Amino acid sequence: MTDRELVDLAFTMLERAYVPYSKFPVGAALETADGSVFTGCNVENAAYGSAICAERCALLKAVSEGHRDPARIAIAGMGEDYCWPCGACRQMLYEFAPDMEVLCANRDRNFVKVALRELMPHGFGPASLY
Ligand code: THU
């Protein structure tokens, strides 16, 4: 799948987002090393802190299906700025693939591609534990 296709797939997930509180839908599409693709959207909750982001939704779908090797994730948002992953999502992705690529898109479907390591300098991961 091309970067463009992965980003477009992330945009299809905006309609699945459950965002009655923030009204800020986010879609994600995560591709693993073997080419498998898992989608996600943000799912909010009346207990606000229980909301799950689109990226972690996609990641947890992948891991729970036995895919622990994310290679790329596309994130689609409707903001003017690119939809950058929040800190918790960066941390969760870093656990499995510090060198993965992150594609962040804005409402015009323009996107930038960055390395997760760029978003998580000096990140804390499995290798940090003793
Ligand atoms: N959100 C995501 O799904 N991903 C991000 O990277 C940023 C934030 C969600 C969480 C919440 O449902 C809404 O966007 C507003 O913060």
Side-chain angles (χ1 to χ4, degrees):
M1 194 175 275
T2 64
D3 287 349
R4 178 79 265 166
E5 287 168 339
L6 200 66
V7 167
D8 285 344
L9 183 59
F11 272 99
T12 69
M13 292 304 289
L14 290 179
E15 67 187 43
R16 300 263 176 92
Y18 176 71
V19 290
Y21 307 107
S22 73
K23 312 269 198 279
F24 186 85
V26 181
L30 181 149
E31 187 183 65
T32 61
D34 70 357
S36 301
V37 175
F38 298 87
T39 54
C41 62
N42 49 341
V43 181
E44 298 183 344
N45 192 273
Y48 295 172
S50 299
I52 182 89
C53 292
E55 300 93 314
R56 274 177 290 160
C57 176
L59 176 67
L60 295 178
K61 282 169 70 178
V63 172
S64 62
E65 292 297 324
H67 294 262
R68 297 181 177 178
D69 48 4
R72 271 188 304 169
I73 188 168
I75 309 162
M78 291 304 288
E80 198 176 325
D81 189 14
Y82 302 112
C83 193
W84 301 102
C86 80
C89 290
R90 294 178 195 203
Q91 181 66 37
M92 285 289 285
L93 292 167
Y94 191 89
E95 173 80 13
F96 295 97
D99 292 309
M100 70 182 293
E101 295 174 330
V102 183
L103 311 172
C104 304
N106 66 10
R107 64 180 170 219
D108 298 322
R109 299 200 177 204
N110 295 321
F111 64 91
V112 287
K113 175 154 77 173
V114 296
L116 180 58
R117 267 195 206 282
E118 204 180 320
L119 301 176
M120 284 287 287
H122 309 291
F124 188 90
S128 308
L129 294 170
Y130 56 81

